[in-house]
Structures are given as C-alpha cells and as structure tokens.
Amino acid sequence: MLEESREELMRFMLLFSRQGKLRLQKWYLATSDKERKKMVRELMQVVLARKPKMCSFLEWRDLKVVYKRYASLYFCCAIEGQDNELITLELIHRYVELLDKYFGSVCELDIIFNFEKAYFILDEFLMGGDVQDTSKKSVLKAIEQADLLQEEDESPRSVLEEMGLA
Amino acid sequence: MALKMVKGSIDRMFDKNLQDLVRGIRNHKEDEAKYISQCIDEIKQELKQDNIAVKANAVCKLTYVSVSRWPAPSTRIGYLAASQSFHEGTDVIMLTTNQIRKDLSSPSQYDTGVALTGLSCFVTPDLARDLANDIMTLMSHTKPYIRKKAVLIMYKVFLKYPESLRPAFPRLKEKLEDPDPGVQSAAVNVICELARRNPKNYLSLAPLFFKLMTSSTNNWVLIKIIKLFGALTPLEPRLGKKLIEPLTNLIHSGISVLAPIPAPGTLLAPCGPQGMSALSVAVLISLSSGMPNHSASIQLCVQKLRILIEDSDQNLKYLGLLAMSKILKTHPKSVQSHKDLILQCLDDKDESIRLRALDLLYGMVSKKNLMEIVKKLMTHVDKAEGTTYRDELLTKIIDICSQSNYQYITNFEWYISILVELTRLEGTRHGHLIAAQMLDVAIRVKAIRKFAVSQMSALLDSAHLLASSTQRNGICEVLYAAAWICGEFSEHLQEPHHTLEAMLRPKVATLPGHIQAVYVQNVVKLYANILQQKEQAGEAEGAQAATQLMVDRLPQFVQSADLEVQERASCILQLVKHIQKLQAKDVPVAEEVSALFAGELNPVAPKAQKKVPVPEGLDLDAWINEPLSDSESEDERPRAVFHEEEQRRPKHRPSEADEEELARRREARKQEQANNPFYIKSSPSPQKRYQDTPGVEHIPVVQIDLSVPLKVPGLPMSDQYVKLEEERRHRQKLEKDKRRKKRKEKEKKGKRRHSSLPTESDEDIAPAQQVDIVTEEMPENALPSDEDDKDPNDPYRALDIDLDKPLADSEKLPVQKHRNAETSKSPEKDVPVVEKKSKKPKKKEKKHKEKERDKEKREKEKKKSPKHKKKKHKKEKEERTKGKKKSKKQPLGGEAAAGPVQNGAPEEEPLPVRGTSAPPPRTCDIRGSLQEDSQVTVAIVLENRSNSILKGMELSVLDSLNARMARPQGSSVHDGVPVPFQLPPGVSNEAQYVFTIQSIVMAQKLKGTLSFIAKNDQGATHEKLDFRLHFSCSSYLTTTPCYSDAFAKLLESGDLSMSSVKVDGIRMSFQNLLAKICFHHHFSVVERVDSCASMYSRSIQGHHICLLVKKGENSVSVDGKCSDSTLLSNLLEEMKATLAKC
C-alpha cells in the first residue's frame, strides 16, 4: 500500500449527497474494503464541513482532494501531489456535463436509479484514473452504441437478468 | 428469530464458496453447462437470503461466472462488477485470464473496450505478463476507440510488469503521431507519466514533443507536455533555452488567444481575471513547475500568478499560491518579493488557502525575516480556531525554524523562548515535536545550554503542564525534554535544589509512564550534582537534606504501575538509602555518585549504524545456528512457554522473507529514536530543503555574544528578542557602515560589493550566538550516502529502463506457445460458441415475434374496448354504469382495515347507458380488497336510479384461466351468483365477491352479466346488463411508503429489470402529475428533487416497483425497475395511458 501510494493519476472518485450518502465510488488503486469505508467516511466529513464559498481543494492525508458541489451532490476526486488540481476540477465538470447530456438535466436521483450507467459513462471517460477522451461527443457516442449493443443482447434474457427475475 | 439466524449460518457452512465453484466447474468438464445452471440456481437462492455474507458470496460467484463463462450479454455488467469488487488479492483473477483474452479479441469493439476498462481496474502482475502481448497488438487496432484504451492501459501494464516496457515502447512512440487525436493524447499521457519518473530515458523524444507542443490545439495535451518538459529541462539545459520562447508566448496568450471561454451556462465558470479560461490557468500553473531557467519569463509568470492570488475566486487564489510554491523551489528570490501578499493569505477564512500560504512561507524565510514571520505566525496561533489548523501552524513554525539544520536561526535563545511559548498551547497533539526540538537544540547548541536549562527548570516548576497529562502526545510531553535537559546539564542550574523539589512533587505521578521514568532517572543526576556542590562547599547538612528529600519522595515512584518507573525508582531508592548510611558516617560520596553519570553523550546520526562497513570475512547472511529440520512445522510446535523462545530463533531467516517485518521494525526503531534524546534526528523534511545543508566546518565557533541577557526572569517573551535583535543588527550595521566607509575611502568605487546594496543580505547578519552544532557521529570509513535516498520499494524504479538499447530476443513479450496452439485448435472448440451465436438470432426473432404478437394483442384490445363501449351505446340503456374499482389491503392477520383505502383507478369513463323499457340507472362501484396473496375481494355497489324495484338480481361472471370467481359450494361455473338484496328506487347497496387471481403481472378483464327483474306499476320485466371487470395491474399495487435508504438499497441489489416510457405533450404541473400517479397507480413519492422524483410501490404479491419520473419541458419520462419485467411493462403502459390524458 505504502509503496503504491506514490502512484500518479487519480486515486478515486466519489459521489455523495449533502446528507452524506455515498452514491458512486470508483477506485483506481486497489484498496481493501475496510480501508475504503474508513476513507470515505473521513473524507465525507471533511468535505461536508466546508462552507460554500471556500475553494475546491484541500489536502487530506497524503492526497489532494478536489471536490465540487452540483446541486445536492458532491463530486470528489483524490489525486496525488504532482497532479494538476485545475485539470481535475475540469474533469469533474466534464463528467457532470456528460451525465447531464446523457440523462437530460441530470439529478441525484438519476444516479441512484441508473447507477450502472453512471459507472459506464465514467469508465468511458476515465480509464485507470486518466482521461481517455476529452471530446464529450465521442464519449457519448461510445456509450450510446454500447447501450444499444447491450439492449440487443439482453432481449433474450441474460443469466444476470434471470437472476433478477427469480 | 435467533433460531433462524443460527440455521442461516449453519446452512452457510454448506454453501459453495468461489473456490468450490471453480473446482466444481473443472470437475464437470462434460456437463459444464448443466453444472453452471445448477450453480446459478443456488446463487439465486443465496441472493434472496437476508444474510449479507451469503449475498456477498453469491455476488462474487456470479461475477466470476458472468465474466469468465458466459458470452456477450452480461459482459458489460460483469466487468463492472469485477472492476468494482476485484483487486489484486482476489485469487480468481488468474483464472479469468483466458476469458479476458477472448474478450480482448472479440469482434465487437465495445466488448473489447469493456474488457480493457475492467482490466485497468484489476490488472495484476500475472495478468499483465500474460496479456501484455495481446494489449500491445490492440494498440494497432483499426478502431481508434480500442487503440486509445489499449494505449492507456499499457501504463498500468508497465507498472505491473516492467519488462514489457522496452518491447512495447516503439509502438507507443508511434502512437504519438496517431491520426486520431484521442489516441495521440492517450499516448502523450502515458509517456508523460513514464517520463516524469525517469526523465533521462525519454530525452530523445524531446524534439517530437516540441513539435507536438507547438502544433497541438488541445489544451489537455498541452498541459501534459509542459509537465513533461518540466522534468526534462533540468537534464538538458539547451532544451530550456529552446523552450523559453514558446512558453513565454503561451503565458501571454493564456490570457487572450488560448482562452476558449467556457460556454455560457456551464457550471464551471471559474473564468479567471481578464477572461482567462480555466484551462489557460491550468496551463499557467503547469508552466510554473516546468519553467526553464530564464528570469524574464519567471518574472512574467510570477506576475500573472499574483493576479490569480489577488483574485476573489478562492480556487484561483489557491492555485496561484500552489504555483508560486512550485516556482519558489527553483527561484526563491523572485517569489520572496511577494511576501506581503502571502502573509495576507494567512488571514483567509479558508483553511486550504492558509495552509498553502504556510507552505510558501516555509520557503521564503531568510535569516533576516525569520523572526518577523514567526512572530506573525505566533499571533495566528493565538487566534486560530480549531486544533487541526493550530497544530498545523505549530508544526510549520517548527519546520520553518529547524529547516536546513537551523540555518536561518541567528538567535537560539529566541528559538527556545518560542518553543516555551508554544507549550502554552493546550490540546495540541504535537507535544512530542516541541520536546524533540528542545532536546535537539539543547544537545547540539552547546552555547545555549545554560539558557535552556533555566527555561526548562521554569517549565518543570509551572503547574499547567502537569494538568494536561491525560492527553496522549499532549503538551505534557514537553516535560520529558525539560526533565532530561535539567538532569543532564544540571551544572548550569541556578537553584538545583528547587528544581529537585519540583521534580519530586507528588503530582508528577499523574504523568505518563515514560515521562515519569525520565524524571526518576534525571532526579538522580540532579541529586548527584547537588551532592557535589554541597560537599565542595562543606555543607554536609545540605547534602543530607537532599538525600532525605529523595528518600521521602521516591517511594511514590516505586509504587508506580509502570514497570520502567518502578524498576528505576526501586534501584535508585536503594542506592540513595545506601548513600544515606554513608553520609551518616561522614563518608564523602559525591565523587562516586557523580561518576555514575560521567562523560558526555554524543549524538549519533540515525544512519550511522547502517553505515558501518561490513568487516571482511563476515557473512551476515550465514546461519549462526543451523535451522531446525523442516519436518517440525509451526503447527506442531509445542505450546510450552519456555520452548518457544528457543524455537523462535531459527525463524530469523535472512531478509527476503521478512520485508514487512523489517519495515515494521524500522518504523519501531524510528519511533524509539524519536523518543531517544541520544539520537539526532535527521532534519524534519529533507526533501523540502532548498539549499544544501552547510557542513559543520562552515559554522565558525566563536564566543557567546554577551550583549544578550542570558537569563530572562520568568517565562521569556520572544518579542523581546525581536527588539533586541533589531538593536543588535542596527549596531552591527553601524559598525559595518563605519568599516565600509573606511574601506570605501580606500577602495575604488568600481568594485561594488554585494553588500553595498541598500537591503542587507543574509550573509551580513552574523548570528548572535555562535553555534557549535555538534555533528552527528558517523563510524569511521562510513560508506558514501548517495544510495540512501532511493527507496528500493519505489515502483517506478523498475521502470527506469534504457529505451534506446536494441531489443534482445530474450526481451520479447511472452507469447505463450501452448496457448497459441490452443487457439489454432480452437475452431473445433469454438463450434459450440458459434452455434450459440447462430441460435441467438433465432431466439431474438422469436422474442421479436412474440413482442409483435403482444403488440398486436394490445392493439386489438385497444380497439376492442372502444367497440365495447360503442356496443353499450347502441344498447341505449338509460343507465349509468360507473366502473370504479377500489381495492383495500388488509393486514395479513386478517383483521379488516379500519377504513377502505381508496386507491383504485377508474377503469372506464362513466358511460351514459339508456335502458330500453325500464330505465333503472345505477352505479357499479367495484372495490377489490386483498385477503390473501392471490385473492381479491371485489365490492360492487349497485344503485338503482330508475323508478322500478329491482329484485332477483344475479351476477354471472365468465372465469378466465387466471381469475376465477369464488362461488358457493356446489354451484357450477355457469350459474349466476345471487345478489343478496333487492333495490327499491333510489337506493344503493353493496355486494362483495371474492376472486382468485393466479398471476398479477398482467391486467385482467372479466366479462359478466347482471340479470334482474325490474318491477314497476306497469309490471315486471326481465332485464340484463353486461359489464366488464377490469383488474388493471395498478390495482394490484398497494401504496407502501419507502425511505430513500431502503430505496437506494433496493436498486443496488440489482435484481430488478428495467423499462421506460416517455409521454410527450404534457402541460400539467409536476406536482399534479405526481399526485395523479399516486392516486391512480398507488405509488408513493420517495424523494423529489426539482422536476424529478423517485416513487415506490409494492404489489400484493410482494413485487417491488421503483419509478424515476422526470419532467422535461413538454414531456414526462418514466423509468421503472421492478422484480418482474412483465408487470413493469404493463404498469408503464397503464401509466402512459393515464399520463396521455394529462
């Protein structure tokens, strides 16, 4: 763990609500479940305690945390010391724009309801903590096509779906 | 309940875990598919249980099955699950290698993409090794979508499997010039990350990057490249010169040309001052660390940064400060002139900004301004709210002062008094830090000892420190240092007797054990010193009094619960008692007692031990005792306590196995050293050192400047020193000026010396005390220390590979031969797969047909119903039939609900039906109420609106397969069921009938006829009235409140299927819309945010239905999730119909 803590790029991304409910988490560095829970809890406390006019950056443990609040949701990324905060802020914003485009005036409930889609969009946008494509158009195109593919595939019931129906 | 739980956990013992599953699949080579479907059934059962561990196990197995065994449909979900839950430790990853490989070479680019994305989250060294070649091939895929992903994931592969770097690098380099911008930027990203770690290997790429930088229009790429150049320029000065122009242009244009101002309305509009876009600010900031050594451009950069810091936007302020601190590292001078601005930022409300400012201050101090800056910080310490920030300030003050071996401290008395002032902080967690500084300074700066001792004795005397002893690492830690200093350097004490008493106060027993232990030990040193003084002065009584004090007070330590304290105290007590006896005989003892502590303790460098060269002929790895034979495994080890000691020895195997253990011990040793005054700590943060530490030989040893008072009564105020220091400097300056004048008279003006500048530079300030900073002792012929800084665990070290060397054969990426053979055979093996695929379309077709049929049906139905209505029209009965169905749910206990919950939906619009001869209008109100799982009670209200008396009413309903009316025993299906009352004109009454419903996922329609005799003055007629009972899906739902937590959990459980509808042309307000859905379809609102709401309902058979309703401008979309997809789609159809009427 210690050795890898110097790894570059984004370490994790969290989405949580003003009430402190975790809505989405993506870890780009293998972290044990217990550690994840602990980190999430601590970080949420720190971020939620900050006032609205304060800046979007803070140092936390050995990480830099970049967060931004959109309506009731906090988007929160942890990056390494060397990385550029502003790019991360821009990344967050890009992601929000992508969500907005995809869901159509996105809100917290969209992410609760279609969390897997939110993950797919994130995966299409960032990979291993690095930007895959800076073009919103191409990300959305990829998502839509993959959605189509999935829908086609799922019409004959997949194993997973049957599970759900059991 | 408890029994159930016990049963649950017993059952669990027999559940398969993942390993069992994998083993099972392997053992069922012949009937794999059957075995897996069996397992899936089990998993289904497990998923339904309450036990979360059982569920987790099930999900784990399912993930494995879906990633590794089953083709396309579930890949996307499967990989998502895998990437969320797998990590390096998950042992199944190894097993999935082949499946991942198959997915990577899938004909569908999205399958490949999904596999790559998933892989990026859980790649392990093994996976990296096995798949490196496949991924490398993908880097040349025809689709840019795949190339892009493959390039990015290569970085992860390099990290896990460094051997792949050299063979893959040429292709990676190619990708820098890929026609697709996405691939190009991915390649830039990867190479930048690599190069930042080991820049020298990538110098040859500089021209290529230079070209990219000047041609690229993508700011993201630009920022990465600038970052890369930042790493390269220190290695190649010529590169720096070449960069000056384009970079300076960038800074200038950062404000004009480069600024694609964010589109209006986007949420990110931290538009910088003068319209700088976020990204151009980002460029500016990355420039700050990649700036070549060129003062003009640095100045420009710093100026721009000042604009940022002065901006009202907190983010820009923060980033400006951050960038400043980067420039500070290379060009401290150009930043130092903005000290005023930085100090202002210390007053900011935002802690993040204050911390950044503090960071900057660290690098800005000089001999000249140290006192001023620290004074400013001290005022902030007093003001600070919240202990975290105060603690941060405290550490920063200490960091600033102690940096580079106390390079900037000119007056150590001032520093000691600062430290003493800091001890007044209550609730700090950094007591040990202050203590360490006190010890360090007192030991290493000989000249200060006298002053330090006087201050420390005052600290020992003051009560407030003792009071805080409850907190761990609290301020009472300072007493550790104080006691040690007063003991060790007791010869400097003014009133040793007084201090002795202070150290033996009963309250000391409340201190933490390790501090008490130091107290006990140092009390003796002090005592020895007193004895010597008294004996020399010939005051035998005084000496005896001191002894008596010891004998009186030591017993409290003997009773201590702390072993160390107890042991030391009892030894010393015996010693003192012995001394007392000798004293009684008038034997001089002082000499001997002092001999106990003779000699000076020299500080030893922390690395000294490591530096001792290994003498020739000594093999540290050799066994001292041969290890015991292996047959004696650890399990068999006898439990005897005394045996263990002996047997543990062979466990001390040479290093390799015990890396962790070593690290742990190293940590422990550090801890120990931190508490050990005899160890000199390496200065706090070596990497932050901006200048080379001056060697000891550079520090002149001069006499103490006596112009500074050595003893300040009471606790000293550091401010006094600031004043004194100013005076002293002034004096110095005057003297110097005099000298200079003299010199100037002698010298020609042409030779302008540095010091003749109006501001005096650091070198001019002579330290007030000459400091003999004792060096850390090093063993003779110690090894040179260059290697120390490199961490052998650094993962990037492995990537330090010469990339220009030609590839050797041995370096080719492993293409596993036997697997290749397998793939060549695979056509046979793949046959089933192909079959499956060919089957699938059929299935699809079927499904499609079914769907179509369904549609047709539905359409027919739709057509039917208007016809039906029309028929009724034609009958022209003057009756009004109002079909309303209401269902009321009863608690399972069977008690009737207090009042019927009206949650029915109108099944049909009221129809004006005119009767032929007799006009008896009446209403049929149908209420369905739930009694059992599948029984519905329908209450029919009949109202007679005619002038005739209605009697002999009979109700006959045609049963369907799914719904049957419960009839009295013995009656046949075709018989009517009598209505148990008659209806005079204008009267209404209710009759109840029970229906048994098999499946509730579909809406039901039952036809029925009501026959009756209408009797009036003119006679009696036999009449019939047809009706339909419509059991809509909504009517099977019962309004059930749901909390958002439970709702989110439900969605996360993932066993819901999904469907959605959209209705256009809706003008009704969202509030009304929701009310309508609640009313007609029995939903309840879980959460509502603006024009978006989540809703929930439950069917009488326990299906969960979750809805997400979103209102657009003129449309409403409803996404639904339900444990039954048919029910859901039917419900949504019904809802669509309702909404269409809005």
Side-chain angles (χ1 to χ4, degrees), chain B residues 1106-1140:
Chain B
C1106 307
L1107 293 184
L1108 179 67
V1109 185
K1110 285 180 79 174
K1111 191 171 182 333
E1113 243 170 75
N1114 269 324
S1115 65
V1116 172
S1117 66
V1118 182
D1119 289 323
K1121 286 193 180 184
C1122 174
S1123 36
D1124 189 298
S1125 62
T1126 326
L1127 176 62
L1128 179 64
S1129 60
N1130 286 327
L1131 271 173
L1132 288 181
E1133 279 308 315
E1134 285 169 20
M1135 221 169 282
K1136 198 171 173 180
T1138 317
L1139 291 174

Side-chain angles (χ1 to χ4, degrees), chain B residues 111-150:
Chain B
D111 280 349
T112 313
V114 161
L116 282 173
T117 310
L119 195 56
S120 74
C121 288
F122 54 75
V123 63
T124 62
D126 285 338
L127 275 177
R129 189 193 57 229
D130 292 345
L131 297 173
N133 199 43
D134 302 64
I135 299 172
M136 200 167 101
T137 321
L138 288 178
M139 277 165 55
S140 313
H141 199 270
T142 49
K143 296 271 178 21
Y145 178 77
I146 298 298
R147 288 207 300 271
K148 180 180 73 186
K149 284 183 187 256

